[in-house]
Short mmCIF file of all heavy atoms in Angstrom, two decimals:
data_model
loop_
_atom_site.label_atom_id
_atom_site.label_comp_id
_atom_site.label_asym_id
_atom_site.label_seq_id
_atom_site.Cartn_x
_atom_site.Cartn_y
_atom_site.Cartn_z
N LYS A 42 0.02 -7.22 42.00
CA LYS A 42 1.03 -7.50 43.05
C LYS A 42 2.08 -6.40 43.08
O LYS A 42 2.52 -6.00 44.15
CB LYS A 42 1.72 -8.85 42.74
CG LYS A 42 0.82 -10.08 42.95
CD LYS A 42 1.59 -11.33 42.58
CE LYS A 42 0.75 -12.56 42.61
NZ LYS A 42 1.50 -13.75 42.21
N ARG A 43 2.48 -5.92 41.92
CA ARG A 43 3.48 -4.84 41.85
C ARG A 43 2.89 -3.53 42.29
O ARG A 43 3.48 -2.75 43.02
CB ARG A 43 4.06 -4.72 40.45
CG ARG A 43 4.83 -5.96 39.97
CD ARG A 43 5.66 -5.64 38.73
NE ARG A 43 4.90 -5.00 37.68
CZ ARG A 43 4.21 -5.63 36.72
NH1 ARG A 43 4.15 -6.97 36.75
NH2 ARG A 43 3.56 -4.97 35.79
N ALA A 44 1.68 -3.25 41.81
CA ALA A 44 1.04 -1.97 42.08
C ALA A 44 0.80 -1.74 43.57
O ALA A 44 0.82 -0.59 44.03
CB ALA A 44 -0.28 -1.87 41.31
N TRP A 45 0.53 -2.80 44.28
CA TRP A 45 0.23 -2.67 45.71
C TRP A 45 1.45 -2.68 46.61
O TRP A 45 1.34 -2.62 47.82
CB TRP A 45 -0.74 -3.81 46.11
CG TRP A 45 -2.13 -3.58 45.60
CD1 TRP A 45 -2.71 -2.39 45.32
CD2 TRP A 45 -3.11 -4.58 45.31
NE1 TRP A 45 -4.01 -2.56 44.88
CE2 TRP A 45 -4.30 -3.90 44.83
CE3 TRP A 45 -3.14 -5.97 45.38
CZ2 TRP A 45 -5.44 -4.57 44.48
CZ3 TRP A 45 -4.29 -6.63 44.99
CH2 TRP A 45 -5.44 -5.94 44.57
N GLN A 46 2.64 -2.70 46.02
CA GLN A 46 3.87 -2.52 46.78
C GLN A 46 4.29 -1.05 46.73
O GLN A 46 3.68 -0.24 46.04
CB GLN A 46 4.97 -3.43 46.23
CG GLN A 46 4.59 -4.94 46.27
CD GLN A 46 4.02 -5.35 47.60
OE1 GLN A 46 4.72 -5.20 48.62
NE2 GLN A 46 2.80 -5.88 47.63
N ASP A 47 5.32 -0.71 47.45
CA ASP A 47 5.75 0.68 47.57
C ASP A 47 6.45 1.23 46.33
O ASP A 47 6.50 2.44 46.11
CB ASP A 47 6.65 0.86 48.79
CG ASP A 47 5.90 0.61 50.10
OD1 ASP A 47 4.66 0.85 50.12
OD2 ASP A 47 6.52 0.15 51.08
N GLU A 48 7.00 0.32 45.48
CA GLU A 48 7.73 0.79 44.34
C GLU A 48 6.77 1.28 43.24
O GLU A 48 5.62 0.87 43.17
CB GLU A 48 8.59 -0.36 43.78
CG GLU A 48 9.71 -0.80 44.67
CD GLU A 48 9.24 -1.67 45.83
OE1 GLU A 48 8.07 -2.15 45.74
OE2 GLU A 48 9.99 -1.84 46.82
N LYS A 49 7.30 2.15 42.40
CA LYS A 49 6.53 2.61 41.26
C LYS A 49 6.44 1.52 40.19
O LYS A 49 7.26 0.63 40.16
CB LYS A 49 7.18 3.89 40.65
CG LYS A 49 7.11 5.11 41.56
CD LYS A 49 7.73 6.30 40.88
CE LYS A 49 7.61 7.54 41.75
NZ LYS A 49 8.20 8.76 41.07
N VAL A 50 5.41 1.65 39.35
CA VAL A 50 5.26 0.71 38.25
C VAL A 50 5.30 1.49 36.92
O VAL A 50 4.93 2.65 36.86
CB VAL A 50 3.95 -0.09 38.32
CG1 VAL A 50 3.93 -0.95 39.56
CG2 VAL A 50 2.73 0.85 38.31
N VAL A 51 5.80 0.84 35.91
CA VAL A 51 5.95 1.48 34.59
C VAL A 51 4.62 1.36 33.84
O VAL A 51 4.04 0.28 33.70
CB VAL A 51 7.07 0.82 33.77
CG1 VAL A 51 7.10 1.44 32.35
CG2 VAL A 51 8.38 0.96 34.47
N LEU A 52 4.12 2.51 33.41
CA LEU A 52 2.91 2.57 32.58
C LEU A 52 3.23 3.45 31.36
O LEU A 52 3.43 4.68 31.51
CB LEU A 52 1.73 3.15 33.37
CG LEU A 52 1.26 2.36 34.58
CD1 LEU A 52 0.27 3.14 35.42
CD2 LEU A 52 0.64 1.03 34.12
N GLY A 53 3.32 2.84 30.21
CA GLY A 53 3.71 3.62 29.03
C GLY A 53 5.15 4.01 29.14
O GLY A 53 6.05 3.18 29.31
N THR A 54 5.39 5.32 29.02
CA THR A 54 6.77 5.82 29.05
C THR A 54 7.14 6.41 30.41
O THR A 54 8.27 6.94 30.54
CB THR A 54 6.94 6.90 27.99
OG1 THR A 54 6.01 7.99 28.25
CG2 THR A 54 6.69 6.33 26.59
N SER A 55 6.26 6.29 31.39
CA SER A 55 6.56 6.87 32.73
C SER A 55 6.31 5.85 33.82
O SER A 55 5.70 4.80 33.59
CB SER A 55 5.69 8.09 32.95
OG SER A 55 5.89 9.08 31.97
N SER A 56 6.78 6.18 35.03
CA SER A 56 6.58 5.33 36.18
C SER A 56 5.68 6.06 37.18
O SER A 56 5.77 7.29 37.37
CB SER A 56 7.92 5.02 36.85
OG SER A 56 8.71 4.26 35.99
N TYR A 57 4.78 5.31 37.82
CA TYR A 57 3.81 5.92 38.73
C TYR A 57 3.69 5.07 39.98
O TYR A 57 3.85 3.86 39.96
CB TYR A 57 2.44 5.99 38.06
CG TYR A 57 2.41 6.78 36.79
CD1 TYR A 57 2.57 6.14 35.55
CD2 TYR A 57 2.19 8.15 36.80
CE1 TYR A 57 2.52 6.88 34.36
CE2 TYR A 57 2.10 8.89 35.62
CZ TYR A 57 2.31 8.24 34.42
OH TYR A 57 2.27 8.95 33.23
N SER A 58 3.32 5.71 41.10
CA SER A 58 2.95 5.03 42.29
C SER A 58 1.42 4.90 42.32
O SER A 58 0.72 5.93 42.27
CB SER A 58 3.43 5.79 43.53
OG SER A 58 3.00 5.13 44.71
N ILE A 59 0.94 3.67 42.31
CA ILE A 59 -0.50 3.44 42.34
C ILE A 59 -0.97 3.65 43.79
O ILE A 59 -0.50 2.99 44.69
CB ILE A 59 -0.85 2.04 41.85
CG1 ILE A 59 -0.23 1.79 40.46
CG2 ILE A 59 -2.33 1.81 41.82
CD1 ILE A 59 -0.73 2.68 39.38
N GLU A 60 -1.93 4.51 43.98
CA GLU A 60 -2.41 4.82 45.30
C GLU A 60 -3.89 4.61 45.41
O GLU A 60 -4.61 4.73 44.41
CB GLU A 60 -2.10 6.31 45.64
CG GLU A 60 -0.62 6.65 45.68
CD GLU A 60 0.15 6.00 46.78
OE1 GLU A 60 -0.51 5.61 47.81
OE2 GLU A 60 1.37 5.86 46.67
N PRO A 61 -4.38 4.30 46.65
CA PRO A 61 -3.60 4.07 47.87
C PRO A 61 -2.97 2.67 47.88
O PRO A 61 -3.23 1.88 46.98
CB PRO A 61 -4.64 4.19 48.95
CG PRO A 61 -5.91 3.67 48.32
CD PRO A 61 -5.82 4.13 46.89
N LYS A 62 -2.17 2.43 48.90
CA LYS A 62 -1.67 1.09 49.14
C LYS A 62 -2.60 0.36 50.11
O LYS A 62 -3.09 0.97 51.06
CB LYS A 62 -0.25 1.13 49.70
CG LYS A 62 0.74 1.88 48.85
CD LYS A 62 0.89 1.30 47.44
CE LYS A 62 1.92 2.08 46.63
NZ LYS A 62 2.01 1.59 45.22
N PRO A 63 -2.83 -0.92 49.90
CA PRO A 63 -3.76 -1.63 50.81
C PRO A 63 -3.17 -1.80 52.20
O PRO A 63 -1.98 -1.79 52.40
CB PRO A 63 -3.92 -2.98 50.13
CG PRO A 63 -2.72 -3.18 49.28
CD PRO A 63 -2.31 -1.82 48.84
N ILE A 64 -4.08 -1.96 53.15
CA ILE A 64 -3.71 -2.23 54.56
C ILE A 64 -3.08 -3.61 54.67
O ILE A 64 -2.04 -3.79 55.31
CB ILE A 64 -4.93 -2.14 55.48
CG1 ILE A 64 -5.44 -0.69 55.57
CG2 ILE A 64 -4.61 -2.73 56.85
CD1 ILE A 64 -4.55 0.22 56.33
N GLN A 65 -3.71 -4.61 54.05
CA GLN A 65 -3.21 -5.99 54.15
C GLN A 65 -1.94 -6.12 53.27
O GLN A 65 -1.94 -5.72 52.13
CB GLN A 65 -4.28 -6.97 53.68
CG GLN A 65 -5.54 -6.92 54.54
CD GLN A 65 -6.62 -7.86 54.01
OE1 GLN A 65 -6.65 -9.04 54.41
NE2 GLN A 65 -7.50 -7.38 53.16
N ARG A 66 -0.92 -6.72 53.87
CA ARG A 66 0.34 -6.84 53.20
C ARG A 66 0.73 -8.30 53.04
O ARG A 66 0.47 -9.10 53.96
CB ARG A 66 1.45 -6.11 54.00
CG ARG A 66 1.11 -4.66 54.26
CD ARG A 66 0.91 -3.83 53.04
NE ARG A 66 2.15 -3.30 52.49
CZ ARG A 66 2.23 -2.66 51.34
NH1 ARG A 66 1.18 -2.46 50.59
NH2 ARG A 66 3.39 -2.19 50.95
N PRO A 67 1.28 -8.68 51.91
CA PRO A 67 1.66 -7.81 50.81
C PRO A 67 0.48 -7.29 49.97
O PRO A 67 0.64 -6.38 49.19
CB PRO A 67 2.59 -8.69 49.96
CG PRO A 67 2.09 -10.08 50.23
CD PRO A 67 1.66 -10.10 51.66
N HIS A 68 -0.66 -7.92 50.13
CA HIS A 68 -1.86 -7.48 49.38
C HIS A 68 -3.07 -8.23 49.97
O HIS A 68 -2.89 -9.22 50.67
CB HIS A 68 -1.71 -7.74 47.89
CG HIS A 68 -1.31 -9.19 47.56
ND1 HIS A 68 -2.18 -10.23 47.70
CD2 HIS A 68 -0.17 -9.71 47.10
CE1 HIS A 68 -1.59 -11.36 47.34
NE2 HIS A 68 -0.36 -11.08 46.96
N PRO A 69 -4.28 -7.77 49.67
CA PRO A 69 -5.46 -8.54 50.07
C PRO A 69 -5.37 -9.96 49.55
O PRO A 69 -4.81 -10.17 48.45
CB PRO A 69 -6.62 -7.76 49.45
CG PRO A 69 -6.11 -6.37 49.32
CD PRO A 69 -4.64 -6.52 48.99
N PRO A 70 -5.88 -10.95 50.28
CA PRO A 70 -5.75 -12.35 49.82
C PRO A 70 -6.46 -12.59 48.51
O PRO A 70 -7.56 -12.08 48.29
CB PRO A 70 -6.38 -13.14 50.98
CG PRO A 70 -7.23 -12.17 51.70
CD PRO A 70 -6.58 -10.84 51.55
N PHE A 71 -5.84 -13.39 47.66
CA PHE A 71 -6.38 -13.75 46.37
C PHE A 71 -7.17 -15.06 46.49
O PHE A 71 -6.64 -16.06 46.99
CB PHE A 71 -5.28 -13.96 45.31
CG PHE A 71 -4.62 -12.70 44.87
CD1 PHE A 71 -4.88 -11.46 45.42
CD2 PHE A 71 -3.66 -12.76 43.83
CE1 PHE A 71 -4.25 -10.31 44.97
CE2 PHE A 71 -3.02 -11.63 43.36
CZ PHE A 71 -3.30 -10.41 43.94
N PHE A 72 -8.40 -15.06 46.00
CA PHE A 72 -9.22 -16.25 45.91
C PHE A 72 -9.58 -16.45 44.43
O PHE A 72 -10.06 -15.53 43.78
CB PHE A 72 -10.48 -16.12 46.74
CG PHE A 72 -10.27 -16.05 48.22
CD1 PHE A 72 -9.88 -14.87 48.83
CD2 PHE A 72 -10.41 -17.18 49.00
CE1 PHE A 72 -9.64 -14.80 50.17
CE2 PHE A 72 -10.18 -17.11 50.37
CZ PHE A 72 -9.80 -15.93 50.97
#
């Protein structure tokens, strides 16, 4: 949920933007 938003996410000691971002917002539907 966090990775598919525009904000960066913390991984280890750094922050990264997970790319790409999905077309469906806020994310593809969860089943």
